[in-house]
Amino acid sequence: MSALKRLFSEGFRVFFLAAGLFAVLGMTIWSGWLGWQFAGGGGALPLGPAPQLWHAHEMIFGYGAAALGGFFLTAVPNWTGARAAPHLFITGVALIWLAGRIAMAAAGVLPPLLVAVLDLAFVPVLAAKILTQLLHRPKPQQMVFLLTLTLFWAADLACHLEWLGLAETGWAGLRAGLAVLAAMIIILGGRVTPGFTRNAMVQSGRESRLPWNPPALALLAGGAAVAVSVALLAGLPDWVAGGLAVLAGVVGLIRLAFWRGGWTAGKPILWALHLGYGLTALGLALTGLAWAGVGSELAGLHLLGIGGAGGMTLAIMSRATLGHTGRALVAPRPVVVAYGLIPLAAALRVLGAVLPDLHDVTVLLAGGIWVLAFGLYLLALWPVFLAPRLARGGAA
């Protein structure tokens, strides 16, 4: 099999590579434009939406959608025993994702309706394939992801309705889209983080003081997190969404305390999951407080987006890529550095949000560190995306 065909043979290969490339390209464009503006340059990016809206949209519905696509196309067949998507489907849906990114970049010259159609096409196609696989062995705890994908698509639709001049729902759509990503992390991360940690502990010979993951707390955190996006899309008062976000975040942090994160200190492939989950929960709590009138919304959203969604997706993508290609579950050194850079980028961006005098420098530093982190991810794993599966290795 050629390297190109292999790239499209499994969902994680093309989409986790695409996510990394887009993380670098999208942030480079945004940071470059900001730097030019801060230096006194004029002009705007040739985009349909305002530059800051394009940046937020593409990080959520461009990068985020690629990460979701790679995860679901890889994980769902493992969950259900269904046949994995063939390479022609993976190629087609990857091209649909790419068409959406091109359309958003060219939104300044394309008809808004065409941009909306191209950008909104990816999630329904992905969800339809996932549905056929989930029906092979349906379980309620897995079928819920069709709901989250529907909410994710609805959030994107809300953005385009404003750009089409049909509603004033753009900001609600961006907030809801990020909230859906956070909800998926609370639900999925809340399963795999303690599960992978428990497996590693047992393999090391430990039989006591294993991670504890009470189902009641999982249901409360996940339900509240999903309800955040519903409240935002329904146009409910900010304090309603804020209260739900605080509840999801606080319960998420309580859950995290039971997962024996300290044991993972020397195992980056594990502590990155704990860190990403923790920053997601903390980001939800801080954002919820801001919606209720306490603190900075900009700080909370960027902690949630960079540290939470960025950190957790980086951890999951790198682990799954190693495991599903038969490699040992040991993060390469550049990826370990990337794990540490993402929370640093988040901290700098939060600092810039709460200290306006430091805004310009911290925003540019955060963007540069994000680009460096994903550049290291690509450097370490690019050959793995194209290489054959090894006969032995750790399971993802």
Side-chain angles (χ1 to χ4, degrees):
M1 182 185 294
S2 68
L4 182 61
K5 186 174 182 179
R6 186 177 298 112
L7 179 64
F8 293 94
S9 66
E10 296 173 284
F12 74 89
R13 292 180 184 267
V14 62
F15 279 110
F16 290 170
L17 175 59
L21 289 170
F22 193 73
V24 170
L25 177 62
M27 190 62 72
T28 298
I29 292 171
W30 171 243
S31 296
W33 182 80
L34 279 181
W36 176 249
Q37 298 301 306
F38 294 160
L45 288 169
L47 306 167
Q52 63 270 25
L53 297 181
W54 173 85
H55 161 66
H57 180 276
E58 290 302 275
M59 288 297 101
I60 297 168
F61 299 107
Y63 170 80
L68 291 177
F71 177 82
F72 282 122
L73 288 173
T74 304
V76 174
N78 286 343
W79 294 343
T80 64
R83 181 181 177 185
H87 78 274
L88 287 178
F89 175 85
I90 293 173
T91 302
V93 77
L95 290 175
I96 292 172
W97 174 85
L98 179 60
R101 310 288 58 77
I102 294 172
M104 285 299 303
V109 296
L110 293 177
L113 182 58
L114 177 60
V115 174
V117 169
L118 291 174
D119 181 48
L120 290 168
F122 173 72
V123 170
V125 175
L126 174 67
K129 170 56 70 175
I130 291 171
L131 174 60
T132 64
Q133 294 172 331
L134 287 174
L135 289 176
H136 185 76
R137 192 182 298 163
K139 294 182 179 180
Q141 66 268 33
Q142 294 165 357
M143 298 297 286
V144 70
F145 296 117
L146 293 174
L147 170 62
T148 57
L149 282 174
T150 300
L151 291 171
F152 191 65
W153 184 85
D156 197 4
L157 175 64
C159 296
H160 285 285
L161 287 177
E162 176 158 325
W163 298 332
L164 287 165
L166 300 176
E168 295 183 0
T169 53
W171 182 230
L174 292 172
R175 291 159 115 193
L178 183 56
V180 174
L181 292 179
M184 291 194 187
I185 292 171
I186 292 295
I187 297 170
L188 283 167
R191 295 179 189 176
V192 302
T193 303
F196 290 155
T197 304
R198 171 184 289 270
N199 292 343
M201 285 180 164
V202 171
Q203 289 173 6
S204 73
R206 180 163 172 164
E207 298 179 355
S208 62
R209 294 179 57 81
L210 299 174
W212 183 44
N213 195 20
L217 292 182
L219 182 62
L220 181 58
V226 171
V228 172
S229 58
V230 176
L232 292 169
L233 290 172
L236 298 180
D238 281 354
W239 65 264
V240 176
L244 291 166
V246 171
L247 176 61
V250 170
V251 176
L253 290 171
I254 293 172
R255 295 176 72 199
L256 182 65
F258 295 135
W259 294 346
R260 311 299 181 191
W263 185 86
T264 71
K267 301 171 178 61
I269 203 80
L270 288 174
W271 63 247
L273 295 171
H274 288 255
L275 182 59
Y277 186 93
L279 291 176
T280 299
L282 182 59
L284 276 170
L286 294 182
T287 301
L289 286 173
W291 290 341
V294 180
S296 166
E297 179 183 22
L298 197 60
L301 289 173
H302 279 92
L303 179 61
L304 185 58
I306 300 172
M312 193 61 157
T313 52
L314 181 65
I316 290 289
M317 291 191 302
S318 54
R319 181 188 179 95
T321 297
L322 295 169
H324 284 280
T325 56
R327 271 81 181 166
L329 291 177
V330 178
R333 188 175 299 274
V335 175
V336 176
V337 175
Y339 291 160
L341 288 175
I342 290 297
L344 175 59
L348 285 168
R349 189 61 187 87
V350 168
L351 187 64
V354 298
L355 298 176
D357 290 345
L358 298 178
H359 175 270
D360 292 2
V361 65
T362 54
V363 168
L364 293 180
L365 281 173
I369 291 171
W370 170 280
V371 170
L372 176 59
F374 279 93
L376 291 170
Y377 161 82
L378 291 171
L379 176 68
L381 296 181
W382 187 296
V384 181
F385 292 126
L386 301 176
R389 182 191 302 265
L390 299 181
R392 305 174 110 182

